[in-house]
Amino acid sequence: MREGTTPDILRLAEVDNVAVALRSLERGETVAAGATRVVVAVPIAVGHKLALREIPRGEAILKYGQVMGRATETIAAGEHVHVHNVEGLRGRGDLAPASAEKAR
Amino acid sequence: MTFEGYHRPNGTVGIRNHVLVLPSVMCANHVVDRIGRALPDVITVQHPTGCSQIGADFEQTKRTMAGFASNPNVASVLVVGLGCETNESKALAEEIAAQGQRVEVIGIQESDGTNNTIARGIEIARELLQEAERHERRTAGFENLIVGTECGGSDTFSGITANPALGHASDRIVAEGGTVILAELPELVGAEHLLAERATPEVSAQLYELIARVEQRAAAMHVDIRYGNPTQGNIAGGLSTLEEKSLGCIHKGGSSKLRQVVEYAVRPSERGLVVMDTPGQDIEQLTGMVAGGAQVVVFTTGRGTPTGSPIAPVIKVATNSAIFGRMRENMDINAGTIVDGVRSLEAVGDEIFDWIVAAANGRKPAAEELEFRDFAINRIGPSF
């Protein structure tokens, strides 16, 4: 496995501010990715992400060392990071101006 | 490395030896189906296309049918048409013949009706089967092999286990002189820069142009791609954005240089890693890659997608042990063992590579044993 592995969560790159739950996590338990320790704030299903540190509203969500979206609200360490507090920045046709019709 | 394949007159090498009965238009589906019922050894497909199509949409449909019929896994083809369709059956057969493929053609109107056409079709297909039986496997190099890669029903483990393991296998295929197709363009959005930096400026520019086209389509429809991709299943599996899915998807292609970018259902002219412009929709993607000459496909899945091609073996890699256990009959390899801490990513990648070689030599993966015949052509325009 890669850097940052524990049996509980997986951080895919050193710079990442999220990690993936490798098993279902209970509220209140402490998990670690490398030297970063975090208390789980809500139950997190296997495969879902949690914040490794506070992520202010508007800040990039980093996974694989790359930008995978942006926080739509401030996310506390240990919180579930998913569609309710993250938006993608790409393929956002919903934000396109009306003139985008011409691109068809 | 080498494999034992069927050397075709046009210089390509197949890993299967199928006789295909192909409707040029949906109006011939019934006759094709009846020929297939009479002769279970032929491969038949059904589709809702081939008429009242125009321009680039019609060109793409015809190119896909011709490419699929000319895949080296197909020994010969019987095209069945109606007689008045846009995708005129004799013109389609000519295009297939131009690619060096053995082809016959019959029309329902010309044959005076359904039953006559079925009878004549059975007769021709029986001859083609007898002809195909005479072909034998002979040694071929990996430069003849095109491997399609695909992920469907992805979860967050796709980008951690199965896709990177497939990437390891892809690198080995390329190192042996073979070709790997990375496709599903919407699932490269947000990760395209990682591929572009491994390409010449020209290929890189082509890739960015294709990606821009995907986003323009979403802009023209005023929708967030997230409502369709990632799918509800992807989101339930933990994927939050298109970029996150893409960053996991891109691992399938490995780490070699990007050599070429091709349109849907176009056969690559370069060897090595190639990007094909297909949608993320699983069966349209699968059909496009096989029509572009892929003889074998490796398909990773987290939620459990059973799909398979009528003419190319599709090797299924589960991203997690739970789905591997629950859908065992649909799966060939368990990459979930990587997060279980049981096996290394490289060990699973080597197993995928070995499976590709075994499939090339005749071993049937689950989707082939289960006789999947999934076939769908990507439409890029409306019916008229």
Side-chain angles (χ1 to χ4, degrees):
Chain A
M1 285 306 308
R2 302 177 190 201
E3 164 280 325
T5 313
T6 76
D8 306 317
I9 61 173
L10 175 66
R11 178 177 58 185
L12 287 140
E14 187 75 39
V15 299
D16 290 359
N17 50 16
V18 295
V20 177
L22 296 182
R23 59 171 177 79
S24 295
L25 304 177
E26 299 298 326
R27 182 181 171 185
E29 62 177 310
T30 301
V31 291
T36 307
R37 295 170 70 80
V38 61
V39 179
V40 179
V42 290
I44 294 179
V46 61
H48 286 237
K49 295 174 292 298
L50 81 168
L52 290 173
R53 52 178 182 266
E54 185 182 278
I55 307 171
R57 179 170 185 263
E59 194 171 290
I61 309 293
L62 299 171
K63 185 182 174 191
Y64 303 104
Q66 302 286 327
V67 176
M68 58 149 277
R70 171 168 67 195
T72 54
E73 60 190 48
T74 296
I75 306 170
E79 285 285 349
H80 187 204
V81 178
H82 202 19
V83 289
H84 62 288
N85 53 17
V86 176
E87 65 175 353
L89 306 172
R90 302 290 304 277
R92 291 296 301 273
D94 56 321
L95 303 179
S99 61
E101 289 288 1
K102 289 171 188 152
R104 193 190 291 263
Chain B
M1 284 197 71
T2 59
F3 63 97
E4 301 296 310
Y6 298 95
H7 293 248
R8 304 301 180 196
N10 64 6
T12 62
V13 182
I15 65 172
R16 295 294 182 268
N17 197 39
H18 294 303
V19 172
L20 174 70
V21 184
L22 175 71
S24 68
V25 61
M26 73 286 259
C27 315
N29 281 346
H30 173 68
V31 165
V32 166
D33 181 52
R34 291 291 297 271
I35 295 169
R37 285 169 194 244
L39 298 172
D41 287 343
V42 300
I43 296 286
T44 59
V45 295
Q46 311 270 302
H47 60 78
T49 61
C51 207
S52 307
Q53 292 181 253
I54 60 169
D57 177 53
F58 172 59
E59 290 303 317
Q60 178 156 304
T61 292
K62 188 174 178 183
R63 178 173 77 240
T64 306
M65 287 190 204
F68 193 85
S70 308
N71 182 293
N73 290 355
V74 177
S76 55
V77 190
L78 169 61
V79 173
V80 183
L82 176 59
C84 52
E85 63 272 26
T86 309
N87 190 28
E88 207 274 303
S89 55
K90 284 177 187 163
L92 175 64
E94 275 167 26
E95 192 159 322
I96 293 168
Q99 296 186 36
Q101 178 65 292
R102 169 91 173 85
V103 59
E104 296 285 341
V105 57
I106 49 173
I108 296 166
Q109 291 164 355
E110 210 174 67
S111 304
D112 302 329
T114 301
N115 286 328
N116 280 342
T117 316
I118 293 168
R120 180 79 190 110
I122 291 170
E123 202 176 303
I124 295 170
R126 191 175 278 134
E127 285 165 22
L128 292 177
L129 281 170
Q130 284 165 358
E131 223 177 85
E133 266 177 34
R134 293 196 284 271
H135 301 312
E136 285 176 0
R137 288 183 183 266
R138 284 191 291 116
T139 305
F142 263 53
E143 69 277 10
N144 297 293
L145 197 63
I146 302 178
V147 180
T149 67
E150 182 159 358
C151 49
S154 298
D155 64 1
T156 44
F157 289 112
S158 302
I160 298 172
T161 61
N163 290 352
L166 173 52
H168 176 77
S170 293
D171 283 343
R172 287 190 61 188
I173 294 288
V174 170
E176 295 284 348
T179 298
V180 170
I181 300 177
L182 183 64
E184 45 202 330
L185 259 283
E187 293 161 28
L188 299 182
V189 172
E192 69 273 30
H193 57 290
L194 301 171
L195 273 175
E197 65 195 22
R198 285 155 37 202
T200 62
E202 191 192 356
V203 171
S204 159
Q206 289 168 354
L207 178 67
Y208 278 118
E209 194 186 313
L210 287 186
I211 296 289
R213 211 156 74 182
V214 172
E215 289 189 284
Q216 278 161 13
R217 281 180 212 142
M221 294 168 76
H222 293 280
V223 290
D224 182 352
I225 291 183
R226 186 159 86 175
Y227 292 122
N229 196 345
T231 63
Q232 291 310 307
N234 295 151
I235 290 172
L239 289 170
S240 308
T241 65
L242 181 61
E243 294 96 304
E244 183 183 14
K245 189 173 174 180
S246 298
L247 290 164
C249 274
I250 201 170
H251 284 112
K252 300 194 300 290
S255 57
S256 65
K257 285 197 162 54
L258 174 64
R259 298 290 182 186
Q260 193 180 16
V261 171
V262 295
E263 295 279 348
Y264 184 82
V266 168
R267 189 183 172 88
S269 57
E270 297 285 329
R271 295 195 187 114
L273 179 62
V274 172
V275 161
M276 179 181 285
D277 180 11
T278 76
Q281 204 257 42
D282 290 335
I283 298 172
E284 292 183 5
Q285 179 195 348
L286 181 62
T287 303
M289 293 194 300
V290 173
Q295 299 106 316
V296 55
V297 174
V298 183
F299 191 119
T300 68
T301 182
R303 309 289 295 174
T305 305
T307 192
S309 169
I311 59 168
V314 176
I315 300 163
K316 281 285 152 59
V317 186
T319 74
N320 63 84
S321 295
I323 203 67
F324 182 79
R326 293 212 328 262
M327 293 182 67
R328 185 66 192 87
E329 68 190 27
N330 297 104
M331 301 295 162
D332 299 297
I333 295 169
N334 181 13
T337 49
I338 296 168
V339 279
D340 297 342
V342 178
R343 303 177 72 198
S344 71
L345 205 151
E346 290 72 23
V348 175
D350 290 340
E351 186 185 354
I352 295 172
F353 180 84
D354 292 344
W355 235 117
I356 294 168
V357 177
N361 287 318
R363 185 178 177 192
K364 289 183 178 183
E368 193 175 15
E369 289 285 5
L370 292 168
E371 299 181 342
F372 272 84
R373 300 244 170 125
D374 292 338
F375 181 84
I377 299 173
N378 174 230
R379 295 286 306 271
I380 51 174
S383 298
F384 284 89

